[in-house]
Amino acid sequence: MACVWKIILLNIFIVSGRSKFLTGQFWHITDLHWDPSYGVGSDNSASICASSGNRPTPNAGKFGDYLCDSSWTLINSSVHAMRDILPDPDFIVWTGDDTPHVPDDHLGETPVLNIIGNLTNFIKALFPNTKVYSALGNHDYHPKSQMPPEQSNIYEHTANLWQDWLDPASKETFKIAGYYTEKLLNQTGFRVVVLNTNLYYDQNKLTENIKDPADQFSWADKVLCDAAKNNEKVYLIGHVPPGFFEKKRQKPWFRQEFNKRYIDLIKKHHDVILGQFFGHHHTDSFRMFYSSNGSPISAMFLTPGVTPWKTTLPGVVDGSNNPGIRVFEYDTKTLLVKDVVTYYLNLTYANIARARWEKEYRLTEAYHVPDASPASMHRVMEQISKEKCYLQKYYEFNSVSYDLTDCNADCRIDHVCSVREVDFDDYESCVLKEGVSSTGPVLFTLFLTLMPSLLWMN
Ligand SMILES: *[C@@H]1O[C@H](CO)[C@@H](O)[C@H](O)[C@H]1NC(C)=O
Ligand SMILES: *[C@@H]1O[C@H](CO)[C@@H](O)[C@H](O)[C@H]1NC(C)=O
Ligand SMILES: *[C@@H]1O[C@H](CO)[C@@H](O)[C@H](O)[C@H]1NC(C)=O
Ligand SMILES: *[C@@H]1O[C@H](CO)[C@@H](O)[C@H](O)[C@H]1NC(C)=O
Ligand SMILES: [Zn+2]
Ligand SMILES: [Zn+2]
């Protein structure tokens, strides 16, 4: 009897010990957008922050406002929450956008570098022994989004700020064009590639007529070819994602030819790419990549932002979000993404009571999938596309439980097509096709309703 118990206990020990050994965890944070003006405005101003752009903020509180970028109190609270929830992650992915949404003439090269420096020092102070893989966002430049395809003062200064996080070779390529690659945690067989996709952003005037800005595509192609030769597994990290914004019909970020080339890169190298981690949207979503014969080959995770700032992009209805931070669980031997756990701060509650960071959801529980592999993420997409309850759940997570209104037929098309189709033409076909299939039943019902009266008229 005692022996049986011993075996059971031993088994429990082995099983739990082993799975713990195989499962690693890392943080992904993005779009902190610190607004240093928060709360220091003059008394006669209707607004508490420069980033609201004079939109009145009657409900502003200590932790922030849905019309403003992050207060320091919110930045402090979010990085402290990371340390409370998971103090010893394997590493941190930080995908940029540190400065407030204000006109360029309110900032300047020095203020931008100071803000990047302030956030860098703060993360370093709370995670002194943690490796951080950091990417530049389009707001980490002056003038904003104008990243040059060559050496610049801001690249050089940022490389110095991130010196402790960069291998010497990474620092060199970063200074030249804001991208780098190195072994993941210095381990053989594992690699990170941090891209400067701000070079592909259609707002960037400096790369408009360049085929391969800063030779990043050919560089990445070579890095990924070498990775395949060396049996490495790779995580891709960046800020501006390819494809479309899910909160506005027909709104891509990349220039068309760059979008195409990015997709080609993923199609060619998906075998070694085990995950793509991006920001910029401030919302919680994901993007699917498929092979030419239609099988899911890669998933890109879009992590929600810390800033709650309501976007001023015309056509977006109520584009605020609650502050979000995210833990990825992964297989340390294969880099398979096993699960995604998102934590959030209910900003309304924080301002009236206290800062309470809660688990919002765990991917595998919310969508009943075994992991976050491309096949599983494809299943998540299918569920969202076919079942109203999953669509609504996804929609509420999309704004980090801020917008709890109903996701109607148009909303469904925007979200399903942007998740499923990263390619410009395929997105357009999807919008047409889904539009027909959603109005189809409506027209049919209308026909059935009208038919008796039509007959009567005859
Ligand atoms: C930062 O957050 C911690 C943890 O909530 C808190 O103890 C500390 O007072 C905060 N500091 C500032 C400057 O807000
Ligand atoms: C931010 O950095 C600037 C320049 O280094 C420094 O003067 C300022 O005190 C920092 N602010 C915070 C809140 O860390
Ligand atoms: C990385 O590993 C190599 C050998 O495996 C070692 O020489 C080097 O010091 C390590 N670098 C760091 C930053 O730990
Ligand atoms: C956030 O907090 C407010 C105030 O307590 C509450 O009314 C609202 O339902 C909360 N939102 C969520 C998603 O829990
Ligand atoms: Zn942003
Ligand atoms: Zn951005």
Side-chain angles (χ1 to χ4, degrees), residues 31 97 138-139 239 280:
D31 296 88
D97 265 7
N138 56 301
H139 281 269
H239 178 74
H280 184 66

Side-chain angles (χ1 to χ4, degrees), residues 34 72 113-115 117-119 121:
W34 177 34
W72 185 260
L113 284 169
N114 281 347
I115 290 174
N118 292 142
L119 297 188
N121 291 337

Side-chain angles (χ1 to χ4, degrees), residues 49-115:
C49 67
S51 48
S52 81
N54 288 325
R55 294 176 290 187
T57 52
N59 303 315
K62 183 163 106 173
F63 287 93
D65 187 273
Y66 289 112
L67 298 174
C68 296
D69 277 318
S70 305
S71 65
W72 185 260
T73 310
L74 174 59
I75 302 272
N76 175 67
S77 177
S78 56
V79 185
H80 272 281
M82 291 166 68
R83 206 173 59 172
D84 291 345
I85 295 164
L86 178 66
D88 193 22
D90 296 344
F91 54 93
I92 295 172
V93 172
W94 177 26
T95 49
D97 265 7
D98 303 344
T99 71
H101 294 84
V102 293
D104 280 326
D105 57 15
H106 286 44
L107 289 165
E109 201 162 300
T110 307
V112 166
L113 284 169
N114 281 347
I115 290 174

Side-chain angles (χ1 to χ4, degrees), residues 155-353:
Y155 292 154
E156 171 129 18
H157 266 78
T158 311
N160 291 333
L161 289 169
W162 293 348
Q163 164 131 318
D164 297 348
W165 298 336
L166 295 170
D167 279 0
S170 299
K171 193 177 168 189
E172 288 317 304
T173 59
F174 191 91
K175 279 199 234 169
I176 295 167
Y179 57 73
Y180 65 94
T181 183
E182 52 187 69
K183 286 181 181 168
L184 178 69
L185 302 173
N186 205 24
Q187 302 170 95
T188 302
F190 307 98
R191 174 166 299 280
V192 291
V193 175
V194 175
L195 296 172
N196 180 8
T197 54
N198 306 295
L199 297 170
Y200 309 140
Y201 193 14
D202 61 11
Q203 302 297 303
N204 188 342
K205 297 183 192 81
L206 302 178
T207 55
E208 190 164 4
N209 295 309
I210 303 179
K211 234 176 142 204
D212 184 9
D215 297 326
Q216 184 170 231
F217 279 122
S218 49
W219 171 82
D221 181 53
K222 184 177 182 307
V223 166
L224 293 166
C225 281
D226 291 347
K229 267 185 234 144
N230 298 324
N231 279 318
E232 291 178 332
K233 302 289 179 202
V234 180
Y235 279 160
L236 275 189
I237 293 164
H239 178 74
V240 183
F244 289 77
F245 190 32
E246 69 279 4
K247 286 178 80 82
K248 178 176 176 172
R249 182 77 50 94
Q250 284 288 3
K251 173 64 189 144
W253 310 110
F254 280 19
R255 288 207 166 84
Q256 181 151 20
E257 55 290 10
F258 296 144
N259 198 71
K260 234 172 157 37
R261 213 150 159 199
Y262 188 93
I263 296 169
D264 290 344
L265 187 77
I266 303 302
K267 276 188 170 173
K268 181 170 173 195
H269 297 290
H270 68 89
D271 278 345
V272 298
I273 300 167
L274 271 289
Q276 306 180 57
F277 308 93
F278 282 66
H280 184 66
H281 283 207
H282 302 185
T283 50
D284 175 355
S285 194
F286 62 100
R287 297 292 174 262
M288 292 304 306
F289 293 76
Y290 298 95
S291 67
S292 301
N293 67 20
S295 35
I297 51 173
S298 189
M300 172 181 280
F301 300 93
L302 301 176
T303 287
V306 167
T307 183
W309 182 78
K310 181 175 183 163
T311 182
T312 50
L313 203 60
V316 177
V317 181
D318 201 0
S320 296
N321 55 279
N322 277 310
I325 55 178
R326 172 173 274 182
V327 171
F328 282 92
E329 295 178 359
Y330 69 107
D331 185 314
T332 54
K333 289 283 167 267
T334 62
L335 293 200
L336 169 79
V337 181
K338 292 167 81 166
D339 218 336
V340 187
V341 189
T342 307
Y343 297 87
Y344 83 114
L345 182 74
N346 179 337
L347 188 60
T348 308
Y349 180 83
N351 282 335
I352 58 180

